[in-house]
Amino acid sequence: MRVGVLRGGPGCEYEVSLRTGQAVLKHLSADKYKTRDILIDKAGQWHLGGLPTTPTRAAQQVDVFFNALHGEFGEDGQVQSILEELSVPYTGSGVTPSILGMNKHQAKEIFQRAGLRVPPGLTIILTTETPAASIANEVFQKISPPWIVKPADRGSSVGVFFARTVAALAAALESARPYSKTFLVEHCLRGREATCGVVDNFRGRDFYPLPPIEIRRPAGTAVWTYDDKYNGQTAEICPGNFSAAIKKQIEDLSITAHRALGLRHYSRSDFIVTPYGIYILETNSLPGLTSESLLPKALAAVGCPYADFLDHVIKLAVERQN
């Protein structure tokens, strides 16, 4: 079977996607697959075999696409729309679920309707004319500090800022402007951070939850940064040291989020475990698959080799198309 691994892309997570794609290419069995390394550069140009190509020509060289892209373009429905038009099977979620999963505002509303707890917050639009100070004062009237500011359409903690005071919030909003126009400003909950993956049609279950992982930020950091997630400095306890009851709740909530968004094949949801309950932060429709990523570590914890997981996901994609 000819597998085209899509990696790179014009989004902020280009480098991470290169590494996810590299890991996928490395672990695809040479006995089962002929791999095609399909690089999409930062300008959006597709490359196959080191030469510029088009999506149509690339599709003629593969039987299935493995989508190893992340963030905007790769995870927000754009590349999914292209792949649907090509009528070639691809891994990961479809167009609409990808759009919903990547848009934190819409996802949050869906989570609430599904009965999930979400952090209190506001969705704001920052235009060039919007004074950050007035927005910060408006937030202060409605949401108690400290706050976390995050773009509504980015992943991997790109453009995330923390603030304890109104002045710091205004400064954070100014710093965040280059990343997006739409932001969530939420109360920064304190608790233990957890993440939990879900795999479709695995080991006899329609939705199989992987063991929750407890993740601890580097000492002295208030919120996650992009570098924190990929520099190997994060403490990750897999499986997490949660009680059986908390572990079961996190697993069930991950499945609920996966189903509520209509995701397929696999996903990973992030949570805060507080004394007042478990709050969902977001769901990743295409979580990272690098050597530092959390999903492969959870798979290893349940005895599933990386290559077997890739086989399973590719099979799901091909079976759906047929």
Side-chain angles (χ1 to χ4, degrees), residues 127 242-243:
T127 66
F242 299 106
S243 68

Side-chain angles (χ1 to χ4, degrees), residues 164-226:
R164 293 186 184 277
T165 67
V166 174
L169 178 58
L173 291 169
E174 287 292 353
S175 298
R177 282 186 192 272
Y179 295 97
S180 184
K181 291 183 178 179
T182 307
F183 295 86
L184 291 185
V185 181
E186 296 178 333
H187 174 66
C188 189
L189 295 167
R190 294 305 183 189
R192 300 168 67 191
E193 300 190 39
T195 192
C196 185
V198 174
V199 182
D200 286 359
N201 302 111
F202 188 64
R203 293 182 174 173
R205 296 185 59 174
D206 291 342
F207 305 99
Y208 182 91
L210 297 171
I213 299 174
E214 183 177 359
I215 46 181
R216 299 176 182 173
R217 293 189 304 273
T221 60
V223 294
W224 289 103
T225 67
Y226 178 89

